[in-house]
């Protein structure tokens, strides 16, 4: 192999070994499949409610958050809400400064139950919920039926603990049919994903080998 080809191969190895890539951040029960038992149900491990000004409540059936079979025979978590307030669930994660993170969730309303359109949001908060760091708002139609992916992105300025949230921000009254119960919306969330979009790995053995080869080539030419 001539020097030009060797340099090209080395540069390619370095690029592949150190280029930016997306990486999945582990969440507890990201697929929202936790089983329930008993009258009030067991908490969904890892997910916590934030409604009526209370932080850190375990999610149970009695609070209106639980898993239920969807049309695919899978399970999804629903959050019911009327026209006022915001009912949400959150999970704590450690995020690094300067890295862009994307929170994605599949969202739907039941095709079999008539409610109202819903104001829904995915959000990042600081650890103490005093700062809304990033949020993406959207409307999920009454009886939308099919799950659709929505996402929000956030790049923290400082490394630390943050809260990722799924939010039902209230029913849009008058958008449902006359049989809508209590003016509610009932939003289903499923398959939550948290990814880092621009994390750069440390140089791999391939990159180090490439650097060594390049050094030998330059030394021979002197």
């Amino acid at each position: 192999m001539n020097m030009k080809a060797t340099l090209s191969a080395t540069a390619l190895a370095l690029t592949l070994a150190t280029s930016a890539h997306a990486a999945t951040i582990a969440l507890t029960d990201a697929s929202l499949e936790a089983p329930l038992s008993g009258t009030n149900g067991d908490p969904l491990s890892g997910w916590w409610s934030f409604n009526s000004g209370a932080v850190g409540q375990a999610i149970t059936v009695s609070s209106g958050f639980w898993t239920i079979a969807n049309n695919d025979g899978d399970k999804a978590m629903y959050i019911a809400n009327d026209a006022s307030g915001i009912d949400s669930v959150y999970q704590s994660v450690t995020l690094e400064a300067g890295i862009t993170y994307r929170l994605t969730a599949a969202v739907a309303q039941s095709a079999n139950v008539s409610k109202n359109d819903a104001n829904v949001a995915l959000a990042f908060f600081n650890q103490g919920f005093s700062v809304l760091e990033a949020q993406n708002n959207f409307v999920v139609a009454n009886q939308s039926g099919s799950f659709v992916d929505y996402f929000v992105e956030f790049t923290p300025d400082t490394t630390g603990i943050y809260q990722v949230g799924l939010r039902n921000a209230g029913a849009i009254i008058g958008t449902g049919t006359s049989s809508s119960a209590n003016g509610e919306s009932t939003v289903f969330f499923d398959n939550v994903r948290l990814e880092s979009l621009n994390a750069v790995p440390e140089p791999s053995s391939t990159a180090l080998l490439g650097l060594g080869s390049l050094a030998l080539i330059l030394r021979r030419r002197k």
Side-chain angles (χ1 to χ4, degrees), residues 35-44 58-63 65-66:
L36 298 174
S37 63
T39 303
N40 292 326
D42 296 325
L44 285 174
I59 303 165
T60 64
V61 171
S62 60
S63 65
F65 303 85
W66 64 88

Side-chain angles (χ1 to χ4, degrees), residues 77-153:
M77 178 180 66
Y78 89 69
I79 303 177
N81 199 0
D82 56 21
S84 61
I86 298 175
D87 286 338
S88 313
V89 295
Y90 294 92
Q91 189 164 152
S92 298
V93 293
T94 299
L95 305 180
E96 296 182 30
I99 302 297
T100 298
Y101 295 89
R102 175 180 290 177
L103 175 67
T104 305
V107 188
Q109 287 208 65
S110 173
N112 303 317
V113 181
S114 179
K115 296 288 187 177
N116 286 274
D117 295 356
N119 288 308
V120 176
L122 303 181
F124 288 88
F125 275 86
N126 68 336
Q127 184 177 7
F129 291 98
S130 60
V131 178
L132 176 58
E133 304 285 1
Q135 180 169 273
N136 187 16
N137 301 281
F138 47 92
V139 173
V140 177
N142 167 49
Q143 294 182 295
S144 57
S146 300
F147 281 85
V148 176
D149 280 353
Y150 296 94
F151 69 88
V152 60
E153 293 180 358

Side-chain angles (χ1 to χ4, degrees), residues 11 24 28 32 43 47 52 54 57-59 62 82 101 127 152-153 164-165 177 183-184 190 209 212:
T24 300
T28 302
L32 301 173
W47 293 99
S52 302
Q57 297 178 351
I59 303 165
S62 60
D82 56 21
Y101 295 89
Q127 184 177 7
V152 60
E153 293 180 358
V164 295
T177 66
E184 291 181 345
D190 203 4
L209 179 62

